[in-house]
Each structure stands twice: as C-alpha cells, then as structure tokens.
Amino acid sequence: MTAVDTPSPPATTARPPAHVPRYRQPDVTAMLPRWLRAAVLALLLALVLVPVGYIALASFMPDVDVANGQVVPDEITVTNYVDMWTTVDLGGGLANSLLVSGAVAVVSALLAVVTAYCLVRVAFRGRLAILRALVALQSVPGTLLLLPIFVLFSSARTYLDITIVGTRFGLIVTYLTFALPFSTWVMVTYLRGLPRELEEAAMIDGCTTIGVLRRIVIPLSWPGIIVAAVFAFLLGWNDVLFASVMTRPETQTAAVVLQVFGQTQEGGALPLYGQLMASALVCALPVVVLYLVFQRYLVGGLTAGGVK
C-alpha cells in the first residue's frame, strides 16, 4: 500500500489585534477660544508678576522715591541690600528659619514614610480610624491650638524643669504637630500606588522589613518624600503666628524679623521702604530656589496615586 500524502492545511497568519483607542481625559481649556485662554493667562500672570516686579524695582530705589509712590526709579542703588543686614537681624532670622524649617522637613518626611508604610502594608485594628483622623486634623485651624500648645510647653518648665518656649526645639515640635498629618497622608497616597510584588520579591531574597523599607520603598518613594518635605519646609518658613509666640529675639525666624521690621517703620519720619522690599525678596529667594530645584518631583509626587 502506498501512503497517500494529505496536504497540510495552510498556515494561518495571526492578525494583529485591532487598535483599541485609549481613553483620553478631555482638555477643559480646549473648550475656550484661544484668545480667551490667552487673556486669562495674561491676567493671571499680571496678578502675580506686577506686585513682585514692583517690589523688585522698589528694592533698588531710594526711600524717598518709594514713599512718594514712584514706580519707575530715577536712579538705581544697591545700598538697600547692603544696609538691611545692619538695620535688622536678618542674617540671624534666615539662619533660624533654615535650621528650623530644614529640621521639620527632614524629620517629618522620615516619620511620614515609616508611618505610612505601616498604615498601608500592615493590617491592624484601628488603621481606618487613624487614616480618617489624618484627614480630620487638616480641618483644625492652627489658631485654636496656639494657646493649648503654649500652656503645655510652659508647664514643662514647671513640672519637668525643661525649657521649651523660646527655643528652636520647641518651634520644631510645634511645626511637626501640623506637618506630620499632611506628610503622612501624602505618603499613604503614594505608597498605595507601589506594587507589592517588589517587596515580596525582596523578602524572598532574604530582606527583612527594615531592609525592604530602606532598599525598596524609600528609593521608589522619592517624589512623595520630596513633596512631604517641601510642604513641611514651607510650613515652618512662612509661619508668623507660632514663631512670634514661641520664640525670643535670639531664636526669631525670618518671617518674624520681617514683621517686626515692618511694624517699626509705621509712623516714622521716613520709613525704610527700600530696605523692607529688599529684605522681603531675600527671604523669598530660598523658597523660589526650592521650587525650581524640585519642580519635577513635586509634579510627580502630587499626581501619584490618583490613577490606578
């Protein structure tokens, strides 16, 4: 018998899957006419840049020209930037602000990472209540806590013989009271978006929980950590209320120094407006540099966790 060769069926080529269009979030600004968008952007830029531009111009003008309401300077002088360091203790205020705000930013970010990791990865009773409390604490005005915090720190002098009011340590603890809840919630939102499989793989390779936190979680959480640190830094840098109550002249921050400088110029024969404008620009410069350096981390950290 002869074998009959049966023809093999023709190979079918797999067709590529049809292109499925991805959903794109509609651009709200595209619904506006182009000229209207340009007008709105120009108005917003003017509201921000015009006051800042006038402050910059006034810082290079003599005090007489600023007091007369002159906008364009007749002469440009840099004496305001030289004399302001001797008129007020601006250098000491900047040093105190950098020390206090930097310590608050570092401590708040580190504690927020550890706390958020426990809240996200560890299941225990009361975890949901803690998360809700973090959100609820954001609605408490700081002015309501000024007197209780001052009384509590003053009592430490009487009962524990520890001086807290008037020290930088007391100011750091005060700012941590408000910075920790927000920083922890930012890190909770960010850590929820990290894949758990990376941590499980590290534990299979022999890493402990601390090793996973140090080698996996923290390196992948830099955008969230920087967001938490920057907002904690701004809380300490811009505060005037608590810094004016919890400090003495040697530990006053830059914001308090500017406030005192502005109050002393009221009712004088010729207020030092030029030096006041120059001091305001110098105090705002660290915040501007901070935003420019960490701008891309801030955008990535704020939007993390919003899409699953």
Side-chain angles (χ1 to χ4, degrees):
M1 297 180 62
T2 59
V4 180
D5 296 333
T6 58
S8 58
T12 59
T13 58
R15 293 183 179 179
H19 176 68
V20 179
R22 298 181 62 183
Y23 173 76
R24 294 183 179 179
Q25 186 176 1
D27 189 4
V28 180
T29 59
M31 296 185 297
L32 300 177
R34 181 174 297 180
W35 65 269
L36 184 58
R37 281 183 288 171
V40 171
L41 290 177
L43 178 61
L44 293 177
L45 286 176
L47 291 176
V48 175
L49 295 180
V50 169
V52 176
Y54 176 73
I55 292 175
L57 290 176
S59 64
F60 292 99
M61 295 167 56
D63 297 325
V64 178
D65 295 343
V66 181
N68 292 332
Q70 189 171 342
V71 178
V72 180
D74 294 332
E75 59 174 334
I76 297 178
T77 176
V78 295
T79 55
N80 294 325
Y81 288 92
V82 178
D83 298 338
M84 66 180 183
W85 302 101
T86 55
T87 304
V88 293
D89 188 18
L90 187 61
L94 289 173
N96 291 328
S97 292
L98 289 174
L99 179 61
V100 172
S101 302
V104 171
V106 173
V107 175
S108 177
L110 293 178
L111 292 180
V113 173
V114 179
T115 306
Y117 183 77
C118 295
L119 292 173
V120 173
R121 294 292 188 256
V122 181
F124 58 91
R125 183 177 298 178
R127 183 169 65 96
L128 186 59
I130 295 176
L131 292 174
R132 291 173 178 174
L134 291 177
V135 180
L137 286 174
Q138 304 301 318
S139 61
V140 178
T143 53
L144 295 180
L145 300 178
L146 177 61
L147 183 58
I149 290 177
F150 181 79
V151 173
L152 178 64
F153 288 171
S154 300
S155 301
R157 172 77 178 189
T158 304
Y159 298 101
L160 302 177
D161 198 17
I162 300 176
T163 302
I164 298 180
V165 177
T167 62
R168 300 181 185 91
F169 173 76
L171 200 57
I172 292 173
V173 175
T174 302
Y175 291 151
L176 285 176
T177 306
F178 304 97
L180 270 177
F182 179 80
S183 300
T184 304
W185 184 253
V186 169
M187 292 309 304
V188 165
T189 306
Y190 191 87
L191 292 181
R192 282 176 176 173
L194 293 181
R196 191 187 294 265
E197 290 77 8
L198 295 176
E199 304 170 21
E200 295 175 351
M203 290 183 178
I204 292 175
D205 291 338
C207 273
T208 60
T209 304
I210 298 178
V212 170
L213 184 64
R214 182 170 58 89
R215 298 181 181 180
I216 304 296
V217 176
I218 292 180
L220 293 177
S221 304
W222 275 117
I225 293 174
I226 290 176
V227 168
V230 167
F231 277 90
F233 182 89
L234 293 179
L235 175 66
W237 188 270
N238 297 326
D239 175 71
V240 179
L241 180 63
F242 287 91
S244 60
V245 176
M246 304 294 296
T247 59
R248 55 177 182 264
E250 295 80 11
T251 58
Q252 286 180 347
T253 60
V256 179
V257 172
L258 281 179
Q259 182 192 31
V260 174
F261 187 23
Q263 291 176 351
T264 55
Q265 301 307 310
E266 297 179 0
L270 183 59
L272 303 177
Y273 287 130
Q275 296 185 30
L276 185 60
M277 300 296 181
S279 302
L281 284 181
V282 171
C283 291
L285 185 61
V287 178
V288 175
V289 173
L290 190 68
Y291 268 108
L292 292 178
V293 172
F294 297 111
Q295 181 180 5
R296 64 187 185 95
Y297 292 101
L298 290 174
V299 175
L302 286 175
T303 58
V307 179
K308 288 289 185 179

